[in-house]
Structure formats: C-alpha cells, structure tokens
C-alpha cells in the first residue's frame, strides 16, 4: 500500500529538491529585517510560507522549481508574482533587484557547475563556483546579486557553510573581504518544525556601515561583535561558537584574607573545645589545668 503520510510526502519533496518550510521560520526571518522595504523576494519560495507572513501591501516575488507548489503559493498569497524554474540554472527575474530577500534554500543539494554559470552575471564575480555536491553558496550568491544596494537578505543555512574548506572557503573569504555579511546567528535544533538539526542564519547587506560581523548564539543568549581583523585571524571561520563564547567567571581569591579567616576559625574552634572540656572536667572532678598544660606542650612542639 502506498504511504501518503506527511513524512513520506516531504521525503519525496526532498529527493526532488523541494523542501517544506514552516511558517514560524518566516516570522523569525521577518523579525530580523531592520530596513524599510516595499517588496520581498524568496528565490526558493515553495508554497509561499516565508512570504505569507508579510502584509498584503508588500509586493511579493518568488521562484520555485516545483510548478504545483508555486500554484499553491499563487492561490494563497496576496500581491504575489511567482515564476517556475530552477533558481540556480535560470533567473526568472533577470534585471530585477529587491529591497528584502528571505530564503530557506535546500541544504547542500547537488547541482551542475556549468560553463554557463561561470559567466552568469550572478556568479562571475565569485572566485569559483560552489562544489557540485553543495549548492548552498550558489543560492547565497544569487541572493546577493538580486539585492538592491540598500537592501537586506536573510537566509537560513546549514552550519557547514560557516567552516567548510576548499571551494566554499574561497567563496566565504570573498564574501567577508567584500563586507557582505552583517550577522551570523546560531539556531539550535528543534527550533522550527521539521528542523531537528542546528542551523544558522546569515544576514547580508551591501552597504554596511562597518566591517565588523555580529555573532549571535540564541541558544546561550550571547552576542559578540567581531572585527574584520579577528575573522581573518581565525582564517575566515564564521562559526558562531568561535566568537560568541560563554564567559567563565573566575573567582579571585585573596590568599591573605583566606589565611586570616582560617586562623580565626581555628582559634574559635580551640576556644569552644577548651570551654567544653572545662565543663566536662568540672562534672568528672578532673584537673582541667593539667589538660591545658598538655595542650600547651603540644602547641610548643610546633614552634621547634
């Protein structure tokens, strides 16, 4: 019997490069926008869940590889223009740039790095194309190319893009050297429906006021503003844990004060013990003075 469960349908989508996007993710990405915008674009819009959180007066644009999913988006979104097509292979909004871009592209899917893509206006400025088995940086580069000079892109990614080597290192270095990355945000696993693994959000701007990058660890509520020089010193690693480190408060011990407290505690203990022994000697008709003399001899032995 054919399995038509939600899980099996989503697995089928993933095998074809079609991914489910929870609506709460759209709310999160929208909350990170800090610019004025009149339009928003999603390069892998699916059924339009990311775009659905924006008001009806905001013009919405989206491209989607799956025609049926796009039809659902058109039926559910107000003020929307959608186009069918593989976003990496062909830009259906060629010549257009957008105020705000929100994206949840499929993580590390395969694509074909062709000669046509090497000369494509969106990618010809890169030092190289992304590896064939990991299209993540192709989507990121596409978003940057479609962004207005004063716009902002907010993209959910797999954390591997922050530290992987080879071609991805070269592209990451290019983005950092050109001052495109404004924020890197760590999102713990299970934050969003269907997202069990930890993820990260890149916030991108073309007109940053400084060359620093803000690293945000939402799991431990830590923020750290790293300079460009610090990022270079860390070999262009953008892992949030490299910068947003939980501070360990080390107790400063005053050895002199500690010794004084120990000395006073010892004196107090000896005094209480002598008081108790004197009472016992009184009840038992014992010679308390002899006992004290014994203690004095013991103390004197430590002076030798």
């Amino acid at each position: 019997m054919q399995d038509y469960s939600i899980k099996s349908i989503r697995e089928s989508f993933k095998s074809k490069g079609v991914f489910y996007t929870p609506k709460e993710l759209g709310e999160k990405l929208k909350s990170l926008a800090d610019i004025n915008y009149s339009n928003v674009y999603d390069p892998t819009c699916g059924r339009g869940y990311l775009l659905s959180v924006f008001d009806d007066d905001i013009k919405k644009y989206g491209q989607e590889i799956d025609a049926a999913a796009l039809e659902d988006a058109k039926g559910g979104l107000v003020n929307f223009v959608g186009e069918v097509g593989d976003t990496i292979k062909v830009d259906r909004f060629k010549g257009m740039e957008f105020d705000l871009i929100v994206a949840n592209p499929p993580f590390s899917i395969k694509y074909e790095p062709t000669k046509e893509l090497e000369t494509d206006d969106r990618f010809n400025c890169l030092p190289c194309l992304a590896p064939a088995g990991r299209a993540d940086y192709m989507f990121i580069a596409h978003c940057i190319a479609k962004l207005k000079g004063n716009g902002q892109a907010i993209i959910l990614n797999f954390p591997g893009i922050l530290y992987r080597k080879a071609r991805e290192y070269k592209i990451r270095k290019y983005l950092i050297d050109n001052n495109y990355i404004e924020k890197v945000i760590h999102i713990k696993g299970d934050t969003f429906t269907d997202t069990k693994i930890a993820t990260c959000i890149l916030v991108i701007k073309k007109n940053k006021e400084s060359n620093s990058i803000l690293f945000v660890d939402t799991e431990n509520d830590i923020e750290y503003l790293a300079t460009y020089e610090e990022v270079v010193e860390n070999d262009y690693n953008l892992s949030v844990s490299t910068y947003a480190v939980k501070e360990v408060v080390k107790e400063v011990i005053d050895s002199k004060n500690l010794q004084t407290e120990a000395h006073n505690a010892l004196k107090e203990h000896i005094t209480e013990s002598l008081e108790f022994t004197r009472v016992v000697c009184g009840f038992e008709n014992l010679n308390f003075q002899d006992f004290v003399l014994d203690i004095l001899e013991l103390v004197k032995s430590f002076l030798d």
Side-chain angles (χ1 to χ4, degrees):
M1 181 177 178
Q2 181 67 41
D3 181 7
Y4 288 109
S5 67
I6 292 296
K7 181 178 180 181
S8 70
I9 292 171
R10 289 177 185 167
E11 288 301 318
S12 175
F13 285 165
K14 291 178 182 179
S15 69
K16 297 178 177 64
V18 181
F19 285 70
Y20 172 78
T21 299
K23 191 170 181 178
E24 66 266 27
L25 173 59
E27 297 287 358
K28 175 63 177 178
L29 300 190
K30 179 185 176 183
S31 72
L32 295 171
D34 59 8
I35 63 167
N36 294 320
Y37 55 91
S38 60
N39 60 71
V40 57
Y41 167 64
D42 182 350
T44 53
C45 67
R47 287 167 167 73
Y49 293 115
L50 289 188
L51 297 173
S52 67
V53 302
F54 292 89
D55 296 339
D56 290 347
D57 63 333
I58 300 296
K59 189 70 176 178
K60 304 167 189 68
Y61 298 86
Q63 183 167 333
E64 172 54 41
I65 195 171
D66 181 68
L70 188 66
E71 285 304 310
D72 286 348
K74 288 180 177 179
L77 294 173
V78 177
N79 204 4
F80 173 67
V81 176
E83 295 288 347
V84 176
D86 185 319
T87 302
I88 294 177
K89 286 183 178 179
V90 58
D91 176 12
R92 296 297 186 192
F93 294 96
K94 190 174 179 63
M96 293 183 65
E97 293 180 340
F98 303 97
D99 297 333
L100 180 65
I101 297 176
V102 292
N104 177 26
F107 296 163
S108 302
I109 63 167
K110 296 179 180 179
Y111 82 106
E112 185 179 359
T114 63
K115 292 292 184 182
E116 289 76 15
L117 290 179
E118 289 180 359
T119 59
D120 190 294
D121 290 343
R122 297 169 296 163
F123 310 122
N124 60 12
C125 59
L126 299 176
C128 60
L129 297 181
R134 294 170 177 167
D136 308 80
Y137 272 111
M138 300 301 288
F139 288 111
I140 294 171
H142 170 82
C143 289
I144 293 173
K146 303 301 295 178
L147 196 61
K148 287 184 179 179
N150 60 348
Q152 187 174 40
I154 305 168
I155 312 167
L156 187 77
N157 294 273
F158 178 70
I161 68 161
L162 304 176
Y163 55 79
R164 290 191 300 228
K165 300 295 185 179
R167 287 174 172 263
E168 290 178 297
Y169 170 87
K170 293 178 181 178
I171 299 174
R172 185 169 64 248
K173 180 179 184 299
Y174 167 82
L175 299 183
I176 295 169
D177 287 341
N178 283 273
N179 201 28
Y180 286 134
I181 301 175
E182 181 183 32
K183 297 178 186 177
V184 183
I185 303 171
H186 164 76
I187 304 294
K188 70 176 182 177
D190 285 323
T191 298
F192 305 115
T193 305
D194 282 11
T195 311
K196 300 297 182 184
I197 61 172
T199 54
C200 67
I201 295 174
L202 286 189
V203 180
I204 292 171
K205 279 184 178 179
K206 289 181 176 178
N207 64 341
K208 287 174 58 186
E209 295 181 357
S210 77
N211 63 359
S212 298
I213 299 175
L214 181 65
F215 291 88
V216 182
D217 181 351
T218 60
E219 190 169 358
N220 295 299
D221 196 24
I222 305 170
E223 293 186 1
Y224 183 82
L225 186 64
T227 64
Y228 167 74
E229 290 74 19
E230 285 180 271
V231 176
V232 173
E233 287 175 6
N234 282 288
D235 198 24
Y236 294 91
N237 186 322
L238 290 179
S239 297
V240 173
S241 60
T242 301
Y243 305 92
V245 181
K246 191 170 184 179
E247 184 178 358
V248 178
V249 179
K250 188 175 182 180
E251 184 180 1
V252 179
I253 299 175
D254 186 334
S255 58
K256 185 176 181 180
N257 186 58
L258 188 64
Q259 178 60 35
T260 300
E261 291 179 358
H263 179 73
N264 291 335
L266 178 60
K267 285 169 58 179
E268 184 177 347
H269 174 71
I270 293 173
T271 300
E272 290 177 354
S273 296
L274 289 174
E275 290 287 356
F276 176 77
T277 302
R278 179 160 56 187
V279 172
V280 172
C281 286
F283 283 122
E284 300 294 336
N285 293 318
L286 299 175
N287 191 327
F288 177 66
Q289 187 174 3
D290 289 343
F291 175 79
V292 173
L293 291 174
D294 285 342
I295 297 299
L296 285 175
E297 289 299 321
L298 176 63
V299 172
K300 286 180 181 179
S301 69
F302 282 89
L303 296 178
D304 295 337

